[in-house]
């Protein structure tokens, strides 16, 4: 797709031209083309699964992942076309590097937690990128659960050593790729998707931007907290998220093949995406009012009475703070976060902790990663959070649930594989 074939929309055209003043043309072109490109390989699999008996497709997928067999008996050719490139990784795949990258990414859990929150807020911040979340409405009616499911996926996907074919992180990431395909299919069939204004639903640029947020925001946090990563360590973290993005269906031209390229692609995307709109406010307000189910820390008999108070207070504290910290990621003109009170407090904590880590008193990087991951798991368990990432068959809002950018859904559900 050349620049001339990009559907013309005046606001986007102006933003593209502005982006060229700040970012190399190549990065702007790749981002712009990706707005009108989707993960067609998995879209074909979902269509083929829909033609099978109810549940048959998901059983075939489970068998294929368990046995590392891209085409178990009865599976459509499309499943093989999807899984062969994943089960036989490209030449640049380095399992040891990726395992090391996962350990380093988890060096200090607060940086990761802010990164997870920042990735959601990045998706909400733009008036075109936010439309899949707004129209599916899980992000408003189930704001806390969606974050919990995202956290569970991140824990699975970044469990060191499990992203190799056959590992639990590998399987979880492939299933999330199916989640995106299910939502995309639903949006296309809804009759309400505006491709001219928003690009394709869950386009490749959006997927790449999400992966880059998981890569770049924690790295930026480590800089803010004065927790150094060497160039070699940074490269390991980059390889981790390049591989995860590959598993998620991001095409080669949008993969972060270098840190510099990742920053350039992210900068181009934030300049080309549409500015915040009403859905930005609605989605963000949902997080601020009910994004943390804090009442679940108390005995169940107190939940109903304390939720109206605890949930918005804690949600605003957590999400409001996260939003202010990551604002410079989506708006380079925003005030730097280095002097934010939360950053100052975390930096002091890190300053006390770093000598122990450097001298080996906190254990190996693998041990540190395990303890940091366990801290997030314990919080999620204490909140009685969603126990797993969202399964593909639950990715779409049930019929009858109102959506922001269109009429309430009514009638029979689409024939999605269960």
């Amino acid at each position: 797709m050349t620049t001339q074939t990009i559907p013309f929309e005046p606001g986007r055209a102006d933003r593209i031209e502005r982006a060229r003043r700040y970012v190399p043309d190549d990065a702007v072109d790749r981002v712009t083309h990706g707005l009108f490109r989707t993960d067609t390989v998995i879209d074909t699999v979902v269509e083929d699964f829909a033609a099978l008996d109810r549940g048959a497709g998901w059983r075939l997928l489970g068998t294929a992942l368990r046995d590392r067999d891209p085409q178990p008996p009865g599976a459509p050719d499309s499943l093989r076309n999807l899984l062969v490139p994943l089960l036989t990784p490209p030449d640049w795949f380095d399992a040891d590097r990726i395992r090391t990258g996962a350990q380093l990414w988890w060096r200090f859990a607060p940086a990761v937690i802010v990164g997870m929150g920042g990735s959601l807020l990045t998706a909400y911040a733009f008036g075109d990128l936010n439309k899949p979340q707004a129209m599916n409405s899980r992000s408003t009616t189930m704001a806390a659960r969606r974050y919990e499911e995202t956290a569970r996926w991140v824990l699975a996907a970044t469990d060191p050593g499990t992203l190799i074919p056959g590992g639990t992180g590998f399987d979880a990431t492939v299933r999330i790729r199916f989640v995106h395909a299910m939502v995309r299919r639903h949006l296309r069939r809804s009759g309400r998707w505006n491709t001219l204004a928003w690009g394709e639903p869950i386009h490749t640029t959006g997927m790449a931007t999400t992966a880059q947020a998981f890569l770049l925001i924690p790295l930026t946090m480590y800089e803010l907290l004065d927790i150094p990563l060497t160039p070699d360590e940074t490269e390991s973290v980059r390889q981790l998220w390049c591989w995860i993005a590959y598993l998620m269906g991001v095409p080669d031209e949008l993969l972060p093949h270098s840190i510099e390229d990742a920053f350039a692609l992210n900068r181009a995307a934030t300049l080309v995406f549409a500015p915040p709109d009403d859905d930005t406010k609605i989605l963000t307000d949902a997080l601020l009012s009910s994004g943390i189910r804090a009442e679940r820390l108390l005995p169940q008999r107190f939940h109903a009475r304390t939720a109206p108070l605890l949930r918005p207070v804690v949600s605003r504290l957590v999400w409001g703070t996260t939003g202010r910290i990551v604002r410079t990621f989506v708006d380079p003109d925003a005030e730097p976060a280095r002097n934010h009170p939360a950053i100052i407090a975390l930096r002091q904590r890190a300053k006390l902790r770093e000598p122990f880590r450097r001298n080996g008193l906190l254990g190996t990087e693998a041990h540190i990663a395990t303890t940091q991951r366990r801290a997030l798991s314990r919080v999620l368990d204490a909140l009685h959070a969603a126990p797993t990432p969202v399964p593909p068959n639950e990715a779409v809002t049930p019929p009858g649930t109102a959506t922001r950018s269109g009429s309430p859904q009514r009638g029979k559900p689409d024939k999605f594989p269960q």
Side-chain angles (χ1 to χ4, degrees), residues 267-387:
R267 179 73 165 117
T270 57
L271 289 168
V272 171
F273 288 147
D277 64 357
D278 289 345
D279 282 327
T280 301
K281 184 177 187 308
I282 289 169
L283 290 163
T284 304
D285 285 351
L287 286 176
L288 292 173
S289 63
S290 59
I292 303 290
R293 297 189 277 195
E295 74 280 1
R296 292 184 168 206
L297 294 171
L298 302 174
Q300 187 172 4
R301 64 181 180 276
F302 298 120
H303 289 184
R305 282 179 288 173
T306 59
L309 174 63
L310 280 181
R311 193 177 291 197
V313 168
V314 175
S315 297
R316 188 165 294 276
L317 176 65
V318 172
W319 285 104
T321 300
T322 300
R324 287 188 288 274
I325 290 173
V326 304
R327 190 168 296 156
T328 54
F329 189 75
V330 297
D331 180 7
D333 297 326
E335 183 179 350
R338 185 169 180 82
N339 294 324
H340 188 282
I343 292 294
I344 293 173
L346 287 172
R347 191 161 56 239
Q348 289 300 315
R349 178 180 167 191
K351 183 178 180 180
L352 295 173
R353 178 179 181 269
E354 273 299 284
F356 292 94
R357 183 194 65 79
R358 287 195 299 269
N359 292 322
L361 298 178
L362 299 183
T364 63
E365 292 288 357
H367 177 73
I368 292 171
T370 297
T371 59
Q372 296 299 291
R373 288 167 47 79
R374 189 180 298 134
L376 177 57
S377 294
R378 285 174 173 168
V379 170
L380 293 172
D381 291 344
L383 290 168
H384 304 284

Side-chain angles (χ1 to χ4, degrees), residues 18-182:
R18 179 172 182 265
R20 295 191 190 283
R21 298 200 294 269
Y22 297 93
V23 188
D25 284 347
D26 175 65
V28 177
D29 288 341
R30 285 183 285 158
V31 161
T32 304
H33 297 166
L35 298 175
F36 297 92
R37 179 177 177 180
T38 62
D39 185 0
T40 56
V41 175
I42 201 167
D43 289 345
T44 302
V45 182
V46 167
E47 290 298 333
D48 288 343
F49 277 12
L52 301 175
D53 291 339
R54 184 180 180 87
W58 302 131
R59 290 192 292 272
L60 288 168
L61 175 63
T63 299
L65 293 176
R66 184 190 66 235
D67 298 340
R68 304 190 196 186
D69 178 2
Q71 193 170 25
D77 291 343
S78 58
L79 184 61
R80 181 192 66 238
N81 296 336
L82 169 72
L83 292 180
V84 165
L86 307 184
L87 294 170
T88 54
D91 292 340
W92 52 261
F93 173 79
D94 185 332
D96 290 337
R97 272 277 204 178
I98 289 167
R99 181 182 64 251
T100 298
Q103 294 169 358
L104 294 167
W105 195 70
W106 279 102
R107 179 169 281 179
F108 190 47
V112 171
I113 293 169
V114 171
M116 286 192 300
S119 70
L120 281 182
L121 290 169
T122 298
Y124 294 169
F126 301 99
D128 46 5
L129 189 62
N130 65 25
K131 287 300 171 285
Q133 290 85 3
M135 294 178 69
N136 190 34
S137 88
R138 290 185 89 252
S139 299
T140 52
T141 61
M142 303 169 68
R145 185 176 181 87
R146 183 168 187 270
Y147 176 72
E148 294 163 5
E149 292 166 342
T150 299
R152 294 293 192 188
W153 168 70
V154 168
L155 281 166
T158 59
D159 187 357
T162 68
L163 272 174
I164 60 173
T168 54
F170 178 96
D171 292 356
T173 302
V174 172
R175 291 182 186 278
I176 290 296
R177 187 171 173 180
F178 272 92
V179 167
H180 292 166
M182 293 291 288

